[in-house]
Amino acid sequence: MTSVNSHHNGSDLTVLGIETSCDETAASVVRGPFDRAILSNVIRSQIDEHTEFGGVVPEIAARAHIEILDRIVAQAMREAGCGWNEIDAVAATAGPGLIGGVIVGFMTAKAIAMAANKPIVGVNHLEGHALTARLTDDLEFPFLLLLVSGGHSQFLLVKGVGDYERLGTTIDDAVGEAFDKTAKLLGLPYPGGPHVEKMAARGDVERFRLPRPLLDRPGLDMSFAGLKTALRTQAKKLEPIDEQTVADLCAGFQRSVADVLATRTKSALEMFRQRYPGTAPVIVVAGGVAANKEIRASLLTAADDAGAQFVAPPLKLCTDNAAMIAWAGIERLQAGPVNDMSLSPRPRWPLDEANAGVLGAGKKGAKA
Ligand code: KG4
Ligand code: ZN
């Protein structure tokens, strides 16, 4: 491992992080674990490239990452005021995600690491999300994480660096994906989440009672595909639907999702208490869906009812970013020497590899 610069605090490390697993091209320089300082955090969203297709197109995403990543990295280094000499390692997402983008980011990171003679850390994107609350809120292990984004919907027990247990997951669509598909169905623009939320604010939540899939079953798994289908059925019956009906459907949908997440959160917190009696339970929420005010409020209430602490990192660090990748790199390096030069990018990469494949049905990896 390379030496730590003298002006660094204790054994702090300065790490360049790179994230390209979906439709954000991002680079960031973070110093930690003691400083916990985000020296730069550059994110370039590809929403404009994908809007006309109503979703992320993998080939377009990979091409856009190639075109812009060099500049994003240079900008992150410049804003951090860092030269390569001050960087201790390069960390990049090595999966799970859209494989074209992951290859672009991880190979670029390997090239930089080789040229600058620094160690490379291949970070699991989900590990980035899982450890973010330690960067933002200095959280101690263990804690619960509810990750709800366009690609992932899962409850994770975060026990330590590299020690994660997936307690439950969606067996079909991710929550954000369900929001996006619902929006598309109702003629609202992509990405759908914010538009559905805006319409829902004007809707009558009582008009359509949509299902709460899987809640009759124990455990922490979730399902959102049936909800979307139920909504489609209702919409079809009333065609052509007016704006108020769209708003009412959005309100019903959003309430249903919030109920499912809150109910499962309560069970997750109970599970936590049984597992760690005497440890105050903490639930962290991350992912783009965490921007939703009704969902946030429901989760906060669920945590309050369970006597648990609710932590929601700032939105910019909840959604895909490279600061979380740099931070995960710091945590991994802190735990011992790392050299992932021979690691290959992977589209699927469950955090708890020991339990991988147990589920059998439903999506895995990036969508799990
Ligand atoms: O974490 P994120 O930015 O990217 C990944 O998917 O990794 O999450 C994006 C997802 C999209 O599906 C988007 O529709 C959803 O988060 N989203 C929302 C809201 N804002 C973004 N869903 C519900 N309500 C919102 N306000
Ligand atoms: Zn993500």
Side-chain angles (χ1 to χ4, degrees):
M1 261 199 18
T2 46
S3 66
V4 173
N5 285 290
S6 54
H7 64 270
H8 287 175
N9 181 358
S11 55
D12 264 343
L13 298 168
T14 303
V15 171
L16 166 68
I18 293 176
E19 159 61 38
T20 54
S21 68
C22 192
D23 59 345
E24 265 92 25
T25 314
S28 163
V29 179
V30 176
R31 189 170 59 224
F34 304 105
D35 255 10
R36 298 190 290 119
I38 299 173
L39 305 181
S40 64
N41 187 18
V42 182
I43 304 176
R44 203 258 174 202
S45 163
Q46 301 176 356
I47 284 181
D48 293 347
E49 277 88 337
H50 302 293
T51 295
E52 68 173 296
F53 305 102
V56 178
V57 183
E59 289 74 16
I60 293 177
R63 192 166 294 271
H65 288 306
I66 292 180
E67 277 169 13
I68 203 168
L69 182 56
D70 283 357
R71 267 175 289 159
I72 297 291
V73 168
Q75 189 183 341
M77 292 292 289
R78 196 169 56 242
E79 287 181 12
C82 262
W84 293 111
N85 284 341
E86 287 142 294
I87 295 290
D88 294 301
V90 181
T93 301
L98 300 175
I99 192 60
V102 176
I103 290 173
V104 171
F106 195 46
M107 292 307 167
T108 302
K110 276 188 181 179
I112 293 172
M114 229 185 278
N117 196 25
K118 310 288 178 189
I120 173 103
V121 188
V123 173
N124 183 313
H125 178 86
L126 301 171
E127 179 167 48
H129 282 299
L131 298 176
T132 298
R134 286 169 55 76
L135 164 64
T136 59
D137 292 76
D138 205 9
L139 222 58
E140 303 268 343
F141 297 120
F143 57 88
L144 281 167
L145 174 77
L146 170 59
L147 179 56
V148 275
S149 70
H152 342 276
S153 295
Q154 48 186 270
F155 283 98
L156 279 171
L157 184 54
V158 184
K159 295 183 268 192
V161 178
D163 192 2
Y164 314 100
E165 187 179 331
R166 198 169 70 182
L167 300 176
T169 178
T170 177
I171 58 166
D172 39 57
D173 292 350
V175 187
E177 192 181 1
F179 267 94
D180 295 339
K181 287 180 176 172
T182 294
K184 198 170 182 177
L185 201 107
L186 297 173
L188 302 171
Y190 171 85
H195 296 282
V196 170
E197 178 170 24
K198 216 157 104 201
M199 290 305 283
R202 293 193 268 132
D204 171 9
V205 73
E206 305 297 336
R207 181 162 165 213
F208 299 102
R209 169 85 190 172
L210 295 166
R212 271 79 175 143
L214 281 195
L215 279 197
D216 52 337
R217 283 202 235 157
L220 294 183
D221 282 343
M222 299 166 283
S223 161
F224 300 99
L227 180 53
K228 177 198 66 206
T229 309
L231 184 137
R232 181 193 286 122
T233 309
Q234 300 270 17
K236 278 254 177 294
K237 267 192 230 156
L238 299 167
E239 246 167 10
I241 51 176
D242 56 22
E243 203 165 304
Q244 189 56 50
T245 301
V246 170
D248 297 344
L249 284 165
C250 286
F253 169 83
Q254 185 172 276
R255 173 61 58 85
S256 193
V257 171
D259 276 357
V260 170
L261 293 177
T263 307
R264 285 315 200 208
T265 294
K266 275 189 199 168
S267 310
L269 287 165
E270 266 167 42
M271 212 179 267
F272 186 97
R273 270 190 205 286
Q274 282 165 10
R275 203 65 93 75
Y276 303 99
T279 303
V282 180
I283 174 102
V284 179
V285 67
V289 180
N292 188 286
K293 289 193 196 69
E294 180 172 354
I295 290 174
R296 262 178 121 97
S298 302
L299 294 177
L300 178 60
T301 306
D304 274 352
D305 289 352
Q309 187 190 343
F310 175 70
V311 176
L315 204 60
K316 210 176 169 188
L317 297 171
C318 270
T319 56
D320 288 352
N321 66 87
M324 70 178 189
I325 303 303
W327 174 259
I330 289 170
E331 294 245 47
R332 291 260 319 275
L333 288 161
Q334 194 67 14
V338 183
N339 189 355
D340 289 335
M341 200 50 93
S342 59
L343 185 73
S344 300
R346 41 185 84 172
R348 289 176 180 172
W349 186 4
L351 264 186
D352 51 344
E353 291 187 85
N355 288 334
V358 171
L359 272 172
K363 286 178 183 151
K364 298 196 183 75
K367 294 281 181 189

